[in-house]
């Protein structure tokens, strides 16, 4: 029973090691997601309103705008609630509506792009760790196979290395699941920025 269990562990470990990040795009060897990596959102892709001009730097100087940007860009704020807040804010802006709209969008564009960059950097950092872990699993699997075939066979060493492989494989698989989940985050941020940008532009008309 122990022998067959160890063989299974070795097979699983090799399979896991073989799934270590293979870059879909050679330009980004550490990018672990099936989604294409788009390093930054271009302004033209999400904004068809008037030129932002100095709003791109001045939005931080407005305490009210900064606070609203912080609230709207937080993923814990439901998108429908964020859209409602945009409408309420701009409805009360009267003569300053266009200026405030530009400041608000400039803040969202800056903040959400920064969020994306942070998430993507984290994903690539984990991807590098996964590659290192896969290499270690592969080495230990080969070492386990050698121990299994040795004569005389040291059962204590075989069992110790087998248990170590089980632990490393489990950590690898858990990280892989987390990465798959986090890979959706940049797309979610894109969608939030596009949706809020659309509401802002509609309120300006």
């Amino acid at each position: 029973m122990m022998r067959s269990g160890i063989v299974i562990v070795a097979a699983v470990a090799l399979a896991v090691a073989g799934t270590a990040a293979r870059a879909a795009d050679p330009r980004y060897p550490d990018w672990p997601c099936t989604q294409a990596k788009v390093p930054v959102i271009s302004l033209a892709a999400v904004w068809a309103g008037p030129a932002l001009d100095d709003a791109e730097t001045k939005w931080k100087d407005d305490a009210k705008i900064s606070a609203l940007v912080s609230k709207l860009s937080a993923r814990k704020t439901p998108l429908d609630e964020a859209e409602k807040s945009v409408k309420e804010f701009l409805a009360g802006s009267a003569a300053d509506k266009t200026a405030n709209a530009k400041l608000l969008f400039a803040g969202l564009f800056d903040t959400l792009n920064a969020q994306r960059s942070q998430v993507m950097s984290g994903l690539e950092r984990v991807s590098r760790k996964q590659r290192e872990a896969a290499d270690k699993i592969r080495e230990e699997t080969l070492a386990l196979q050698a121990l299994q075939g040795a004569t005389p066979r040291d059962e204590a060493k075989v069992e110790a290395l087998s248990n170590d492989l089980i632990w490393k494989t489990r950590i690898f698989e858990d990280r892989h699941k987390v990465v798959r989940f986090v890979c959706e985050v940049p797309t979610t941020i894109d969608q939030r920025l596009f949706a809020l940008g659309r509401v802002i532009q509609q309120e300006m008309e």
Side-chain angles (χ1 to χ4, degrees):
M1 182 71 177
M2 179 183 289
R3 182 182 178 84
S4 63
I6 293 169
V7 171
I8 290 170
V9 168
V12 169
L14 278 173
V16 166
T19 64
R22 296 187 185 95
D25 188 333
R27 293 175 300 171
Y28 310 113
D30 293 328
W31 182 242
C33 308
T34 56
Q35 300 90 332
K37 180 182 178 182
V38 180
V40 294
I41 310 170
S42 70
L43 182 62
V46 290
W47 181 253
L52 296 180
D53 301 320
D54 59 356
E56 294 186 60
T57 55
K58 287 193 171 180
W59 69 270
K60 294 179 182 178
D61 299 330
D62 188 311
K64 192 171 183 180
I65 293 284
S66 294
L68 185 56
V69 165
S70 181
K71 174 187 174 184
L72 300 179
S73 60
R75 291 195 294 278
K76 67 181 180 181
T77 303
L79 184 55
D80 56 349
E81 181 183 320
E83 291 176 339
K84 182 180 177 184
S85 294
V86 168
K87 292 176 182 177
E88 290 174 350
F89 172 69
L90 293 179
S93 294
D96 297 326
K97 181 181 284 189
T98 296
N100 281 334
K102 288 164 64 175
L103 287 169
L104 181 58
F105 183 77
L108 286 169
F109 183 74
D110 192 20
T111 303
L112 290 173
N113 247 325
Q115 279 186 17
R116 284 178 89 256
S117 294
Q118 187 175 28
V119 170
M120 294 167 93
S121 293
L123 281 165
E124 290 182 323
R125 204 161 44 243
V126 172
S127 175
R128 288 190 288 272
K129 285 185 180 178
Q130 285 291 79
R131 190 178 297 116
E132 292 169 4
D135 288 342
K136 191 66 177 174
I137 288 171
R138 191 178 294 109
E139 289 173 10
E140 290 194 6
T141 300
L142 295 174
L144 176 61
Q145 290 172 337
L147 284 173
Q148 288 172 327
T151 305
R153 176 168 158 147
D154 188 329
E155 293 294 349
K157 284 186 178 180
V158 168
E159 184 174 2
L161 188 51
S162 173
N163 289 336
D164 189 53
L165 265 172
I166 289 171
W167 179 247
K168 284 187 170 73
T169 302
R170 184 174 298 147
I171 292 172
F172 185 98
E173 290 176 327
D174 288 346
R175 273 197 197 137
H176 182 64
K177 290 173 185 174
V178 170
V179 165
R180 286 174 58 191
F181 173 77
V182 179
C183 277
E184 300 293 335
V185 174
T187 300
T188 302
I189 293 173
D190 293 351
Q191 292 169 344
R192 175 175 288 264
L193 180 57
F194 180 80
L196 294 178
R198 183 176 55 198
V199 171
I200 292 170
Q201 289 171 88
Q202 287 172 346
E203 292 302 304
M204 289 172 65
E205 295 172 357

